[in-house]
Amino acid sequence: MAAGAVFRRNVSLKLGLKLLHGSSRPLLHGSSRFRDAEPLPQSGFFLPSDGTMLPPDSFKNRVAFVTGGGTGLGRAMTHGLSGLGATCVIASRKLDVLQKTAEEITAQTGNKVFPVQCDVRDPQAVAQCLDQMEKLAGLPDVVINNAAGNFVSPSERLSPNGWRTIVDIVLNGTAFVTLDLGKRLIRNQKGASFLAITTIYAESGSGFVVPSASAKAGVEALYKSLASEWGRYGLRFNIIQPGPIRTKGAFSRLDPTGAFEKAMIGRIPAGRLGTPDEIKNLALYMSSCYATWMSGAVVRLDGGEYVSMAGEFNELRRVSNQQWDLMEAMIRKTKGS
């Protein structure tokens, strides 16, 4: 499952328009269609684009390594890198999924995508994966740590194994990949861009996803620390915090009943969920030669959700104009403090 706050969904501009005009049959995975929530009217001002913003061949003659590259955000970012000329290596535990994705993207872009099986929780498996990557494509110019896992649970029900599973994938997996690759790049005097996909609650914390929040916060500390320490070797480290984006995997684990999606859209000022293509474009920019002075940055892409939840008076948006008239009249009558 790709990393990020919650529900990720691949929505094109055409689909965004379709939803805005009240289609009763949104084009979703069949398993989630029954619970799709409509975007709010203001989302018409914030329509997503499924285009690629960088010029063609922006990653020509470059190698990109993407964990969790077979599905969701990882697939979207890999497709974007490949479409702009990169030779890509994608890694995850499910080799069959990787192979299918690699074949499809290679056929679409004409640039080779190599699938390499890897369990990022195992440092020996990571080392073997990176050895294979070097033989297939060479050391990478772009590294995207996107592999993640998550589930919702009251913390009092959380088992040690549940905690360990998420922390091993998210924090330890990112560390094993980053540290091993970093050492290889330093030995070979090769610069590279590292990007981690975290979540907005890595900054705020969040109940019911405590292992994920803790692990993602650790990833951010790791990347900010290495941005300071390893810049001298030509390595830069940045972070994207996605807000709610629907993907198939996230639905089953984080909103199995669909109860939270409507409320979630209601607190996003842009009035809709994000799309994988929006994350893709930001990731491509941050990994490109157009952003070489960017290191140690944490970029939030969430339609305004974080700031919407942060302000203690923001729920006053629910007050109607008539109610404001009454409240204003009462306030004007108030004397003293």
Side-chain angles (χ1 to χ4, degrees):
M1 182 183 64
V6 260
F7 315 111
R8 297 181 178 145
R9 175 189 186 185
N10 190 1
V11 183
S12 67
L13 178 59
K14 181 177 179 181
L15 176 54
L17 288 166
K18 191 176 184 69
L19 287 169
L20 283 168
H21 286 87
S23 168
S24 61
R25 295 182 62 82
L27 304 177
L28 282 176
H29 301 292
S31 61
S32 60
R33 178 179 294 167
F34 73 96
R35 61 174 179 240
D36 181 44
E38 293 288 335
L40 299 179
Q42 71 264 28
S43 64
F45 294 103
F46 306 105
L47 290 174
S49 172
D50 58 359
T52 299
M53 70 180 186
L54 292 183
D57 297 330
S58 290
F59 291 92
K60 187 175 181 180
N61 299 322
R62 298 196 172 211
V63 174
F65 178 66
V66 183
T67 67
T71 60
L73 292 187
R75 179 188 175 111
M77 292 184 288
T78 301
H79 191 278
L81 288 160
S82 180
L84 293 177
T87 299
C88 296
V89 178
I90 55 176
S92 77
R93 286 179 293 169
K94 297 181 179 179
L95 184 58
D96 58 334
V97 174
L98 289 175
Q99 289 172 332
K100 182 179 179 183
T101 295
E103 291 169 1
E104 291 174 351
I105 295 178
T106 297
Q108 291 165 3
T109 67
N111 294 311
K112 188 63 180 176
V113 178
F114 295 101
V116 179
Q117 189 172 30
C118 182
D119 184 346
V120 296
R121 299 173 296 181
D122 180 353
Q124 290 184 335
V126 168
Q128 292 170 0
C129 169
L130 299 182
D131 287 343
Q132 190 173 352
M133 176 193 63
E134 283 199 64
K135 292 177 182 177
L136 291 170
L139 285 170
D141 303 276
V142 174
V143 180
I144 300 180
N145 274 290
N146 170 69
N150 200 2
F151 60 89
V152 290
S153 174
S155 295
E156 65 270 23
R157 293 173 178 249
L158 189 63
S159 70
N161 187 58
W163 171 274
R164 186 183 302 112
T165 297
I166 301 308
V167 172
D168 276 350
I169 295 171
V170 176
L171 178 55
N172 292 336
T174 299
F176 296 151
V177 169
T178 300
L179 294 173
D180 193 326
L181 256 180
K183 293 171 187 176
R184 294 172 191 240
L185 290 162
I186 291 168
R187 284 196 300 267
N188 286 273
Q189 298 183 329
K190 179 179 175 64
S193 165
F194 286 75
L195 181 66
I197 310 301
T198 62
T199 172
I200 59 171
Y201 60 71
E203 186 172 341
S204 64
S206 178
F208 304 98
V209 285
V210 170
S212 173
S214 303
K216 293 289 191 182
V219 168
E220 294 195 356
L222 170 70
Y223 264 47
K224 287 184 280 189
S225 299
L226 290 176
S228 173
E229 184 179 353
W230 279 359
R232 58 186 169 153
Y233 298 122
L235 307 179
R236 59 191 186 92
F237 297 83
N238 293 296
I239 298 154
I240 295 176
Q241 294 180 342
I245 300 172
R246 184 193 290 106
T247 59
K248 188 176 181 180
F251 260 90
S252 61
R253 297 174 183 87
L254 298 180
D255 190 21
T257 67
F260 298 112
E261 184 182 355
K262 185 175 181 181
M264 191 176 305
I265 291 175
R267 69 173 179 247
I268 298 174
R272 65 170 175 86
L273 302 182
T275 74
D277 284 327
E278 291 174 297
I279 299 297
K280 173 201 73 177
N281 268 317
L282 180 57
L284 293 178
Y285 166 71
M286 292 174 70
S287 301
S288 76
C289 62
Y290 297 95
T292 54
W293 210 46
M294 178 183 284
S295 192
V298 181
V299 181
R300 190 185 305 135
L301 188 63
D302 69 344
E305 184 191 31
Y306 185 91
V307 293
S308 174
M309 293 189 295
E312 60 188 289
F313 290 101
N314 285 341
E315 285 303 304
L316 289 174
R317 60 179 171 258
R318 301 178 185 274
V319 177
S320 69
N321 285 332
Q322 288 182 325
Q323 290 170 326
W324 274 119
D325 290 340
L326 291 172
M327 289 171 62
E328 184 176 350
M330 294 170 66
I331 292 168
R332 287 181 181 275
K333 292 178 181 179
T334 301
K335 302 289 186 179
S337 61

